[in-house]
Amino acid sequence: MGRGVAVALSHVRKQYGSATALHDVSLTIHDKEFFTLLGPSGCGKTTLLRIIAGFESVSDGTVQLHGKEIADLPANARPVNTVFQQYSLFPHMSVTDNVLFGLQMRKVPAAKARQRVKAMLELVQLEDFAQRMPAQLSGGQQQRVALARALAPEPEVLLLDEPLSALDLKLRQAMRIELKQIQEEAGITFIFVTHDQEEALTLSDRIAVMSAGAIQQVGTSHDIYESPVNRFVADFIGESNLLESRVLAHDKHQLTCALPGGAEVQAQLSDTSIELPVGSSGYVCVRPEKLRLLLATDQRNGVLQGVVGRHIYLGTDTQLVVHLPDGQRVQLRCQNAQQNAQLPEPGERVSLDIEPGSARFVSH
């Protein structure tokens, strides 16, 4: 990537009594990167963020910021700042005074502080709201004030703990675009925590998918979605068809896999660090948009046969649920581009073709 390292965590572990919140986490986050920690509730992502912020201590391991060890530094001595779910603006202070507060606490000279506040309000496009009170602002505007306040002291890294979760859907979608733009213009590292997959895929330069206190996969949005390394990542990110299968043959990382019903499919192994012997069991992962509906029954090898279970109209496309002979079921999406396009009715037999190169074999 050609960037320096902003944050480096090495073998970080966090223990609460007999419960382990983080298991041997090692992670490198680049300078000026929008990096996302993604996972379900209780996976350890917020604990990891709080360790970087200094709100939690490590039980073991090291935490470095731009090459300097900070694990023993208190939170107020670290050149990082945090934006929380609740913006916690001072209700009795104007927008200007909210942003100015942190600079005054750091005894920044008044002229320089005022200049910095002006620059931050311009960055978040709130210069016309400088004298408003928080109660006079929308949720999205309050969030931008919180961002300006956090960025004003010029932190080396900004930490964001699900800052969009309190917004409604339309505003949340709009703020994603603004947040990424603010990060690029601010020119610093953002570390973002969310459980929202779409949010992570939209915003991130890279994503770390977490589960049960461990990192499952790190990669770009494209890597995570197109090439999940295990069943958890495949199932958690977007929609997936996970079909039980067995390896019949392999040529390096290109596998021939058999489904219980007898169909054979070609799949790639995403986790290139492992070797799978013939007979290994796992799952063939196929995204719903990678399946093509064949209205005429097609007996070619590699084509799945099944019976339509039901239709689900989704506006831009229609989701079909198809039951395979072995009892497994798959979902596919058909775009509603042609209003008169005829889809097979529930109970009809169909054939499904997998887009070449799109199937992935994942482990348990």
Side-chain angles (χ1 to χ4, degrees):
M1 184 175 288
R3 299 177 182 174
V5 175
V7 176
L9 301 121
S10 181
H11 303 293
V12 168
R13 188 173 59 85
K14 180 61 181 177
Q15 197 84 15
Y16 294 103
S18 60
T20 303
L22 293 173
H23 301 265
D24 194 30
V25 171
S26 294
L27 189 62
T28 298
I29 300 171
H30 299 115
D31 195 28
K32 300 182 181 179
E33 182 174 32
F34 198 119
F35 192 92
T36 297
L37 301 171
L38 172 67
S41 297
C43 71
K45 58 188 186 295
T46 296
T47 300
L48 193 57
L49 194 79
R50 289 175 61 83
I51 282 175
I52 297 170
F55 302 138
E56 298 279 357
S57 61
V58 297
S59 301
D60 200 8
T62 63
V63 182
Q64 291 188 340
L65 180 65
H66 289 124
K68 296 179 181 179
E69 177 61 42
I70 62 170
D72 294 328
L73 276 183
N76 61 2
R78 299 187 185 196
V80 303
N81 226 336
T82 307
V83 178
F84 298 100
Q85 290 181 25
Q86 303 300 325
Y87 313 135
S88 301
L89 302 179
F90 298 113
H92 61 288
M93 291 185 182
S94 68
V95 167
T96 291
D97 289 340
N98 265 281
V99 179
L100 185 62
F101 181 79
L103 298 174
Q104 291 174 328
M105 294 296 291
R106 289 169 173 80
K107 301 188 182 338
V108 175
K112 182 180 178 181
R114 291 283 175 182
Q115 186 178 23
R116 182 65 180 166
V117 169
K118 183 175 183 296
M120 290 301 95
L121 292 182
E122 288 175 355
L123 177 65
V124 299
Q125 300 178 17
L126 285 177
E127 59 268 35
D128 293 338
F129 295 79
Q131 299 311 314
R132 297 266 186 103
M133 304 300 284
Q136 297 173 305
L137 303 176
S138 69
Q141 289 166 340
Q142 289 184 35
Q143 193 238 32
R144 282 186 277 163
V145 175
L147 277 170
R149 183 177 61 183
L151 288 168
E154 301 183 78
E156 294 180 22
V157 175
L158 187 66
L159 311 175
L160 303 105
D161 187 6
E162 304 213 40
L164 306 182
S165 62
L167 306 178
D168 62 54
L169 178 60
K170 285 285 187 183
L171 186 53
R172 196 160 66 240
Q173 291 171 336
M175 281 304 303
R176 289 173 193 162
I177 299 170
E178 292 192 19
L179 190 58
K180 180 61 176 173
Q181 183 176 335
I182 289 168
Q183 185 262 335
E184 290 173 349
E185 292 183 14
I188 66 170
T189 304
F190 276 28
I191 303 177
F192 185 82
V193 162
T194 185
H195 63 273
D196 188 310
Q197 306 146 39
E198 186 177 328
E199 214 163 72
L201 293 172
T202 302
L203 285 166
S204 312
D205 294 319
R206 288 190 303 147
I207 300 168
V209 182
M210 297 187 66
S211 174
I215 292 175
Q216 303 296 317
Q217 184 173 358
V218 178
T220 64
S221 297
H222 183 274
D223 294 338
I224 296 290
Y225 186 83
E226 298 289 348
S227 300
V229 297
N230 58 34
R231 184 185 179 187
F232 175 82
V233 177
D235 196 31
F236 186 74
I237 303 295
E239 295 180 345
S240 293
N241 295 301
L242 291 165
L243 303 172
E244 293 180 6
S245 61
R246 181 171 51 85
V247 176
L248 292 180
H250 61 80
D251 178 11
K252 293 185 178 178
H253 302 298
Q254 184 67 37
L255 311 178
T256 301
C257 304
L259 304 184
E264 295 182 11
V265 298
Q266 301 298 311
Q268 294 180 12
L269 181 62
S270 293
D271 188 350
T272 58
S273 66
I274 63 174
E275 292 289 339
L276 286 175
V278 170
S280 297
S281 62
Y283 299 87
V284 169
C285 170
V286 183
R287 299 293 186 183
E289 69 274 15
K290 303 295 186 182
L291 285 169
R292 185 164 59 92
L293 183 66
L294 305 175
L295 296 182
T297 302
D298 191 325
Q299 299 296 328
R300 286 178 299 157
N301 193 30
V303 172
L304 305 178
Q305 309 292 328
V307 176
V308 176
R310 59 175 177 155
H311 296 174
I312 304 171
Y313 181 76
L314 299 171
T316 56
D317 44 34
T318 297
Q319 184 181 74
L320 266 65
V321 178
V322 176
H323 297 273
L324 305 182
D326 60 18
Q328 300 188 84
R329 67 177 189 176
V330 296
Q331 300 177 32
L332 68 151
R333 288 181 175 244
C334 302
Q335 286 194 340
N336 296 327
Q338 298 178 355
Q339 292 184 356
N340 298 323
Q342 292 295 314
L343 292 176
E345 295 296 327
E348 285 189 43
R349 294 188 59 79
V350 294
S351 299
L352 305 175
D353 199 10
I354 299 174
E355 184 179 302
S358 64
R360 297 290 183 269
F361 184 88
V362 297
S363 62
H364 294 271

